[in-house]
């Protein structure tokens, strides 16, 4: 029986309960500009790279948005929310990371969020939880491009097909699949199409040694 070389985790909505902060930040951003923004409009942004998110925000709102300024403001808004309210880990997330370490499996956080926000999240979690972290501003092409997951695997000395990936959004799932990872999906705000080559799970709470072995050696 073999085990994967690494478990690769998306952050917002998969490991930590921070998707709500992005929704709050989006509403505040557009309210300041006199634009009505709905949760439905924002759902498409889930898991997207920041560059693609700004492009989508501009298209849906009809505003001309400066890329760098918008990214900086959105990161500042969500970071402030984390500093004020924390970044609670979702059920099973911390246990899954700890289990991987106990089994000698490496872990990585693979997120579209930028370093300034990710650092604030990680500072409020267990120290050294992940062996590698790949943020949206560290790659040339963000999700759904495979580069984020490819880079995470490379940092861990592995190939994509040697890894399990855990995601909650269509963009993230496409990225993980394209990188060759065995991909699992937890429920998210933007549902993942059921015809993709993924396995749907109720939450990260299902993960234990037997579960990893069962899927990896199937």
């Amino acid at each position: 029986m073999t085990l994967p070389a690494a478990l690769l985790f998306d952050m917002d909505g998969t490991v930590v309960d921070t998707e709500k902060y992005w929704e709050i930040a989006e509403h505040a951003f557009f309210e300041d500009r006199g634009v009505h923004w709905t949760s439905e409009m924002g759902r498409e942004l889930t898991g997207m790279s920041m560059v693609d998110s700004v492009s989508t925000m501009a298209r849906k709102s009809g505003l001309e948005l400066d890329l760098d300024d918008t990214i900086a403001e959105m990161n500042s808004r969500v970071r402030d929310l984390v500093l004020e309210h924390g970044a609670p880990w979702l059920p099973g997330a911390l246990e899954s990371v700890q289990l991987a370490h106990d089994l000698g499996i490496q872990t990585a956080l693979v997120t579209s969020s930028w370093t300034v926000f990710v650092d604030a999240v990680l500072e409020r979690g267990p120290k050294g939880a992940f062996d590698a972290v790949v943020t949206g501003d560290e790659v040339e092409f963000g999700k759904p491009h495979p580069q984020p997951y490819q880079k995470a695997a490379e940092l861990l000395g592995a190939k994509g097909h040697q890894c399990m990936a855990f995601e909650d959004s269509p963009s993230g799932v496409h990225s993980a699949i394209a990188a060759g990872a065995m991909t699992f999906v937890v429920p998210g705000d933007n549902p993942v199409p059921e015809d993709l080559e993924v396995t749907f799970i109720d939450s990260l709470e299902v993960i234990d040694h037997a579960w990893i072995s069962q899927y990896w050696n199937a």
Side-chain angles (χ1 to χ4, degrees), residues 165-203:
F166 299 88
E167 271 285 352
D168 74 321
S169 72
S171 290
V173 165
H174 283 295
S175 176
I177 292 174
M182 181 183 289
T183 305
F184 299 86
V185 181
V186 297
D189 293 335
N190 191 7
V192 172
E194 296 184 0
D195 59 348
L196 297 178
E197 294 184 17
V198 299
T199 299
F200 291 86
I201 58 178
D202 292 334
S203 78

Side-chain angles (χ1 to χ4, degrees), residues 100-147:
H101 291 167
D102 292 345
L103 295 175
I105 302 172
Q106 298 186 94
T107 62
L109 191 68
V110 188
T111 176
S112 293
S113 295
W114 283 32
T115 303
V116 64
F117 173 56
V118 176
D119 283 350
V121 171
L122 293 180
E123 286 168 3
R124 278 146 188 79
K127 302 299 182 185
F130 297 96
D131 298 300
V133 177
V134 176
T135 61
D137 51 324
E138 294 177 334
V139 293
E140 182 178 1
F141 303 105
K143 301 175 185 180
H145 193 279
Q147 189 179 57

